[in-house]
Amino acid sequence: MKLFFRFLLCLMFTLSSSVFSNELTTSAYTQIESVDAFADFGDGDIIFNLVAKVNGCERGYWISKNHPGYNTTVSMIIAAYQAKSRVLVRGYAQRRWKGSAGPFCQLYSIRYVPN
């Protein structure tokens, strides 16, 4: 009986850690394909997608106006898109955007890289 409870405890820990994981996905060096802004949804959410798709984030990435660093990050996204700069994007695959059924991941960071 004691062994069963240990097994059950280990199983619950394993399942809960994978469900609530905050693992980051990382893109290849790529360009931003499109950028969309939503005036009402999320009070100004921004979504963008990449030329090279990322498993689990195939539709792209999102950032909420309520996130710290929103203004700086959105400025970088728009500048990279307009200049067709290559970027490296990291995001949370488990934190989906509520504005779409498709896999948009919450943006963690964006980095410009030399062309």
Side-chain angles (χ1 to χ4, degrees), residues 32-90:
I32 296 174
E33 187 173 57
S34 67
V35 180
D36 294 288
F38 293 85
D40 289 330
F41 191 85
D43 194 29
D45 287 358
I46 299 289
I47 61 169
F48 65 97
N49 64 14
L50 304 174
V51 172
K53 306 303 180 203
V54 177
N55 286 338
C57 304
E58 289 85 3
R59 294 294 306 273
Y61 294 85
W62 67 276
I63 184 169
S64 169
K65 189 166 187 168
N66 299 323
H67 289 141
Y70 173 85
N71 292 332
T72 302
T73 305
V74 170
S75 295
M76 287 184 68
I77 292 167
I78 294 169
Y81 172 70
Q82 290 177 335
K84 299 191 183 316
S85 296
R86 291 188 319 146
V87 294
L88 183 74
V89 178
R90 296 175 71 199

Side-chain angles (χ1 to χ4, degrees), residues 8 12 14 20 38:
L8 188 60
M12 288 182 351
T14 303
F20 297 107
F38 293 85

